[in-house]
Amino acid sequence: MTNSYPRALPEDFFRPDDRSPLEGIDESFVFTYDAYADELGEGQRWSRWQDLEALMKGPEPRPDWVVTSSGAIDTELGILKTGKEADVYLLEREDPHRPDEAVVMAAKRYRDTDHRTFHRAASYTEGRSMKRSRDNRALKRKSTWGKQVAAGEWAISEWSALCRCWQLGLPVPYPVQIDETEILMEWITVTVDGDTETAPRVAQVRPERAVVEAYYDQLRDALTTLVQAGLVHGDLSPYNTLAAGDRLVIIDLPQMVDLVGNPRGMDFLLRDCANMCAWFRSRGLEVDEQELFGELMAHAF
């Protein structure tokens, strides 16, 4: 039997290694991690962007200002507008490690079944179909579940309309995301004396004639694009269009209908024309809703 003995260790075996632990490692395998706060303050929440499915995020290509960081924090800044079906809040989304990329958005939240008033006429929903027959039955019975479905339906309808209109190149706020009955979208603003403010409704402004004429051209172009796509806003007025400087922006789209599929599609289009033309006439522009309606119908078919 042969005896074995341990070999002598080199003299520098126990010396500290002066080399960096990353020396000789491919940089593509090296990751750095940013630490984020364990707790959030009042009125704050973590962004759910990374948790949402693709169809719940805005259409691509997305504007550069959209914050997609998984470490971003949403901070509520206050209420912007109250309505019969929904309230709109201002929300800031910021990654604490990239404060210069923070963005303020509008958060439209449809009310729950205890606070929401269902004044929307059934005529808006004609031609629409729910994915599940039990939802249709619940809606007709006006059950508790039916009301929940209805609350979600309006949010989903507005989300779909915003995405479709944005893809058509229409002047609407960019839709960032939808999460249950909350829609995050672009905050439309104007600059006043160096300060950023919410763009006023068209009904609140008295612009110069050149701007009024430009607004009408923009309106006609937008309505033309809509009818060519077979769509009608359905509730268009100076109160749901914004005057963003020299740009007209259309908002509030949950009741958008199919021009042909809805039995009252053309009636809604004529009403949209009448509502808007009345404002333009009040600002000194000679326009006629019947003439505008006829022009739009010529583009529709």
Side-chain angles (χ1 to χ4, degrees), residues 81 83-86 108 110 119-121 123-125 128 154 158 161 165 201-203 219 223 226 231-242 249-258 262 264-277:
K81 173 190 171 186
K84 292 181 179 180
E85 288 85 23
K108 186 169 185 177
Y110 281 84
H119 88 292
R120 296 286 185 186
S123 54
Y124 283 121
T125 58
R128 294 183 188 174
W154 287 112
E158 177 151 32
C165 289
R201 300 174 186 180
V202 166
L219 172 72
L223 292 179
L226 275 175
L231 300 171
V232 181
H233 184 284
D235 194 28
L236 192 62
S237 78
Y239 293 94
N240 50 30
T241 48
L242 302 179
V249 179
I250 300 172
I251 60 172
D252 292 338
L253 304 167
Q255 68 291 312
M256 182 170 282
V257 300
D258 188 289
N262 187 294
R264 294 193 58 197
M266 295 183 189
D267 293 335
F268 287 139
L269 178 59
L270 179 58
R271 189 178 67 182
D272 287 352
C273 293
N275 288 339
M276 294 305 297
C277 284

Side-chain angles (χ1 to χ4, degrees), residues 25-245:
I25 298 178
D26 189 333
E27 292 184 1
S28 63
F29 291 95
V30 179
F31 300 90
T32 58
Y33 297 90
D34 293 325
Y36 290 89
D38 294 328
E39 297 183 2
L40 300 179
E42 184 178 353
Q44 291 187 321
R45 69 187 187 192
W46 293 109
S47 164
R48 281 180 39 80
W49 175 268
Q50 298 295 340
D51 300 325
L52 300 176
E53 298 178 2
L55 291 177
M56 300 169 71
K57 300 177 182 179
E60 297 181 347
R62 299 187 180 101
D64 295 337
W65 53 263
V66 176
V67 176
T68 61
S69 168
S70 58
I73 296 173
D74 293 343
T75 302
E76 196 156 303
L77 304 180
I79 194 162
L80 181 64
K81 173 190 171 186
T82 59
K84 292 181 179 180
E85 288 85 23
D87 298 321
V88 181
Y89 296 79
L90 285 183
L91 199 75
E92 180 184 56
R93 175 165 290 179
E94 175 189 3
D95 183 326
H97 294 281
R98 302 179 181 87
D100 56 325
E101 298 177 4
V103 62
V104 177
M105 299 175 288
K108 186 169 185 177
R109 297 169 185 165
Y110 281 84
R111 296 197 182 133
D112 59 29
T113 56
D114 294 330
H115 301 91
R116 187 179 183 276
T117 57
F118 289 85
H119 88 292
R120 296 286 185 186
S123 54
Y124 283 121
T125 58
E126 290 186 65
R128 294 183 188 174
S129 60
M130 303 299 294
K131 291 183 179 180
R132 294 179 295 186
S133 60
R134 73 185 184 102
D135 291 345
N136 267 323
R137 293 194 298 271
L139 281 171
K140 291 178 181 178
R141 291 197 305 268
K142 298 183 180 180
S143 65
T144 300
W145 171 246
K147 291 179 181 179
Q148 292 175 348
V149 171
E153 180 192 3
W154 287 112
I156 293 170
S157 294
E158 177 151 32
W159 171 255
S160 299
L162 278 170
C163 291
R164 180 76 182 280
C165 289
W166 178 266
Q167 292 170 320
L168 288 171
L170 288 162
V172 298
Y174 176 76
V176 177
Q177 69 178 55
I178 182 172
D179 190 3
E180 296 185 352
T181 57
E182 179 190 76
I183 300 174
L184 290 185
M185 66 185 81
E186 179 184 2
W187 178 35
I188 305 300
T189 63
V190 292
T191 302
V192 180
D193 298 328
D195 296 327
T196 299
E197 298 181 0
T198 301
R201 300 174 186 180
V202 166
Q204 299 171 314
V205 300
R206 301 188 68 87
E208 298 178 355
R209 182 172 179 92
V211 176
V212 173
E213 292 175 349
Y215 281 174
Y216 185 75
D217 290 339
Q218 292 175 48
L219 172 72
R220 184 173 52 199
D221 290 345
L223 292 179
T224 299
T225 300
L226 275 175
V227 298
Q228 287 176 336
L231 300 171
V232 181
H233 184 284
D235 194 28
L236 192 62
S237 78
Y239 293 94
N240 50 30
T241 48
L242 302 179

